[in-house]
Amino acid sequence: MQCSRIRTALSARLDGEQLPAGVTGRSLGAHLAGCARCRTWERQAVRLRQLVATTSGPRGAGDDGGLGDDGGLGDDGGAGDGGGVGDGGTEALDALLGRLRRAAAGNGDRTG
């Protein structure tokens, strides 16, 4: 199955929606078991969802949005390991969205 189709299904699953026609939980799991790039895409999408959740509400003084002491977002999308986020986390969200888009565009026609 094509990675782009799997990523659409992953996005639907993260949003609590039904999987697209022709994609089952079993086929999704089988693809993820054999495709490191789609597993990475899923981890990044989950992290993006977490960042949006922590940065979308009102924040008090000193609230780092759950990003760690230094407010960093590293290359692997993990929390608190450098990379500079900026005050509201907007830069980190933009960077992560860009990485997800590039990954989808560059590997959307791969099968795994």
Side-chain angles (χ1 to χ4, degrees):
M1 190 171 291
Q2 290 186 340
C3 290
S4 60
R5 189 159 169 79
I6 292 297
R7 292 171 187 180
T8 298
L10 289 170
S11 179
R13 186 170 72 176
L14 283 170
D15 292 341
E17 301 170 358
Q18 289 185 357
L19 294 177
V23 179
T24 64
R26 183 175 290 212
S27 65
L28 188 59
H31 182 90
L32 288 172
C35 184
R37 290 180 184 228
C38 283
R39 287 192 307 271
T40 298
W41 189 94
E42 180 183 34
R43 282 191 304 272
Q44 290 175 334
V46 167
R47 183 66 183 137
L48 176 61
R49 186 174 183 82
Q50 292 168 341
L51 284 170
V52 168
T54 61
T55 60
S56 62
R59 291 174 36 187
D63 183 359
D64 69 0
L67 295 175
D69 292 339
D70 65 353
L73 178 67
D75 291 340
D76 66 351
D81 52 359
V85 172
D87 289 340
T90 305
E91 293 173 26
L93 290 174
D94 289 343
L96 188 52
L97 273 172
R99 286 176 30 205
L100 287 169
R101 287 183 182 126
R102 284 190 303 276
N107 301 303
D109 59 346
R110 290 181 45 112
T111 57

